[in-house]
Amino acid sequence: MSTQVPRLFGGLVDDAAVFPPGSAALPDAVAAHRGHRTAWYADLVGPLLLPASALADLPALLDAEEQIEVGVIGDVPIPSLYSLRDRVDPRIRIRQVEAAVAKRGEDPLPGLAALAGLPAHLDDADVYAEIPLTWGLLGALDRLAGERAAGKRIAAKFRTGGLAAELFPTPVELAAVIGACRDRDLPFKLTAGLHHAIRHIDPETGFTHHGFVNILAGAAVAQDGAEVAEVAEVLAATDPLPLVETARSRREQGRPLWTGFGSCSVLEPLTDLVRLGLVNGGYQP
């Protein structure tokens, strides 16, 4: 791990350049990812996230000896994901697979049962089940915890934003989910809406976005045993000073609960970390 990127932020940001709102063309995303992987902040960056349907287009963009790590987003039926390993070019290492197991309002357990066998087909890849923050959530977390206890590399994924206000969980709702994962020793990943470090209102949409440093701090105090109200207070904070101090005090520790998030821009979260003094390096925002 580079001394310029503390352990707390290692692999925090998956490169989701091809997904909205960035929606980069695949060749551009691959070229930019090469740059991220060789930059001074490379330790901040996780795999390149790609739709499963785009994997077939990736080999033509790679050099003969190039190796690349990817995260596969399941835009195909879950059964189709079981043959991923057999269809992937040897230059490509699948580090994780993420798939939605239900739409909002649907029972997540059938989809979760279909996904639960996938880890055995993917060698050392992690599998993330995207679960809606609605009815059936706790039962799905219980099922995931049971699968992990049986040795499967499967965890949870939640959305923290979207194109409508109701897709942004409140601080209390997100704090309750973090606490539920903590109680089950269940890692989780987040996606959508985490564009900046500190909780803020988007001036264009009026939506209030969660801050990723808020979530780092909230997950940290939850891991220490904080109750939902205390975690929610951390998630709702807009004063950066206490949040930065919480993160700074733990910068050489890992993230036992929150594994990270996908961002269509790697440089946006990096810029915030530099501005807050949490990452020191060669980048000049």
Side-chain angles (χ1 to χ4, degrees), residues 118-139:
L118 183 59
H121 291 256
L122 291 172
D123 297 327
D124 60 347
D126 293 308
V127 173
Y128 290 91
E130 183 181 319
I131 305 169
L133 299 180
T134 56
W135 175 81
L137 170 64
L138 294 182

Side-chain angles (χ1 to χ4, degrees), residues 16 31 73 88 93 95 101 112 116-117 121 132 156 180 186 199 202 208 210 222 234:
I73 308 299
V88 170
R93 178 194 170 201
R95 265 193 40 192
V101 296
L112 185 52
H121 291 256
L186 184 62
R199 185 172 176 81
D202 186 308
T208 300
H210 290 284
V234 174

Side-chain angles (χ1 to χ4, degrees), residues 171-243:
V172 171
E173 289 170 337
L174 186 54
V177 170
I178 291 173
C181 289
R182 182 267 322 273
D183 293 343
R184 292 163 174 79
D185 195 23
L186 184 62
F188 64 91
K189 186 180 181 184
L190 299 176
T191 190
L194 296 175
H195 301 305
H196 292 289
I198 307 300
R199 185 172 176 81
H200 64 284
I201 297 175
D202 186 308
E204 294 186 6
T205 65
F207 298 156
T208 300
H209 288 245
H210 290 284
F212 66 83
V213 170
N214 293 74
I215 295 171
L216 277 171
V221 299
Q223 190 65 30
D224 290 345
E227 298 296 331
V228 168
E230 184 180 348
V231 177
E233 184 176 347
V234 174
L235 297 179
T238 55
D239 179 359
L241 292 180
L243 299 171

Side-chain angles (χ1 to χ4, degrees), residues 2-94:
S2 165
T3 57
Q4 294 173 299
V5 177
R7 186 181 174 198
L8 180 64
F9 310 117
L12 177 66
V13 185
D14 289 349
D15 185 355
V18 302
F19 291 93
S23 302
L26 183 57
D28 296 335
V30 171
H33 189 72
R34 286 192 190 102
H36 297 321
R37 298 308 311 163
T38 57
W40 65 265
Y41 56 84
D43 288 333
L44 176 72
V45 185
L48 178 65
L49 300 184
L50 298 176
S53 59
L55 272 179
D57 299 324
L58 182 56
L61 302 173
L62 302 179
D63 297 332
E65 302 300 323
E66 185 173 6
Q67 301 288 316
I68 189 169
E69 294 186 342
V70 301
V72 178
I73 308 299
D75 63 339
V76 297
I78 288 175
S80 299
L81 298 174
Y82 276 71
S83 61
L84 276 176
R85 185 182 61 181
D86 300 329
R87 294 186 283 115
V88 170
D89 186 285
R91 293 170 294 174
I92 300 170
R93 178 194 170 201
I94 297 177

